[in-house]
Amino acid sequence: MQIPYFPHINHPLVKSLFDHSDQELLTLFQQYPDSGKYFTVIFCRYSSILYTLSWHSARSPVQADYLFAVIWRHIFYQLGKLDLSSQDGLTLQNWLINMTGFYINKIELPPTETIHYSLENTSPPLWCYIEQALDQLPPRSRLMILMSQRFHWSETKIAAYLQAEGEEISLSEVTSCLEESYRMLEAKLPADIRAIYLNEN
């Protein structure tokens, strides 16, 4: 087993928070939902532990990467309402390990050949914030991005599908709509996530 290396751990926005305690990071994450750096630092701090647990529960490296990412996606949505002070003696590390064990037993992994997720291309924090941004897009924009990215449909196939559904849309309009949808998606990502992962200043 090789623990993945995540280059964004060296980004100045991430490194500047290394001295913060887990509780401070959790509080900042909850207080500033439009900032992604706090969740990213929590991810960097505990990714190796959670990846090791995921690895031992999957049948293949592809499944391990996917399980690891899906667990972090669940954690992302749970962290927003986590109150460690109400649970005597519970640390963030213990909570993360407990949640990982819970989801390892709950998640039914798809066959390796049907998994299209790449840990190398999309780190879990970026995936979480992309999904959050997707939820804020107009329905047609979201649908077109999903057809293009998740199902790898060509623009011709997307146009044919939408036309079959009764929409009056040409191939050139699909192309321009997709371009605009990607611009909207990127604009809805937190500014620090764009800086960390997309190299925006």
Side-chain angles (χ1 to χ4, degrees):
M1 180 190 71
Q2 184 172 357
I3 301 292
Y5 171 70
F6 299 102
H8 58 265
I9 196 171
N10 293 314
H11 193 281
L13 286 174
V14 175
K15 292 172 76 173
S16 68
L17 295 168
F18 280 176
D19 290 337
H20 284 56
S21 69
D22 286 352
Q23 183 59 61
E24 288 171 333
L25 290 171
L26 177 60
T27 301
L28 289 165
F29 169 74
Q30 293 172 341
Q31 289 180 345
Y32 301 101
D34 292 334
S35 291
K37 57 189 175 184
Y38 307 114
F39 178 70
T40 303
V41 175
I42 292 171
F43 169 81
C44 290
R45 188 169 288 178
Y46 290 108
S47 60
S48 59
I49 296 174
L50 271 59
Y51 188 82
T52 302
L53 294 171
S54 302
W55 174 270
H56 290 296
S57 304
R59 294 191 183 93
S60 72
V62 172
Q63 282 189 329
D65 287 358
Y66 178 74
L67 176 62
F68 173 70
V70 171
I71 287 170
W72 274 106
R73 188 176 65 181
H74 285 295
I75 286 169
F76 175 74
Y77 289 107
Q78 295 286 331
L79 274 178
K81 52 182 180 285
L82 176 63
D83 181 10
L84 290 175
S85 64
S86 68
Q87 304 179 55
D88 189 39
L90 184 66
T91 64
L92 181 61
Q93 177 175 313
N94 289 340
W95 181 83
L96 289 169
I97 291 171
N98 291 344
M99 292 300 290
T100 300
F102 173 77
Y103 284 115
I104 282 172
N105 291 323
K106 184 178 180 181
I107 295 169
E108 189 169 329
L109 288 172
T112 298
E113 62 273 12
T114 65
I115 295 173
H116 301 294
Y117 174 77
S118 168
L119 187 59
E120 186 176 342
N121 293 336
T122 311
S123 179
L126 178 59
W127 189 24
C128 291
Y129 284 102
I130 285 175
E131 288 218 331
Q132 189 178 71
L134 270 172
D135 288 341
Q136 300 173 46
L137 294 184
R140 189 167 80 165
S141 295
R142 184 168 62 248
L143 176 63
M144 290 173 69
I145 288 176
L146 289 174
M147 287 190 288
S148 174
Q149 291 297 315
R150 187 167 295 174
F151 302 113
H152 307 289
W153 283 15
S154 67
E155 292 171 4
T156 302
K157 188 172 182 179
I158 293 172
Y161 172 83
L162 292 174
Q163 289 163 3
E165 290 294 307
E167 291 206 37
E168 294 184 10
I169 188 167
S170 66
L171 177 57
S172 62
E173 287 173 325
V174 166
T175 302
S176 61
C177 282
L178 259 178
E179 290 173 356
E180 178 59 25
S181 297
Y182 284 123
R183 279 194 293 270
M184 285 193 294
L185 179 66
E186 186 171 329
K188 290 188 179 297
L189 291 172
D192 54 357
I193 288 294
R194 296 200 303 269
I196 293 167
Y197 290 100
L198 307 180
N199 298 316
E200 285 192 11
N201 295 324

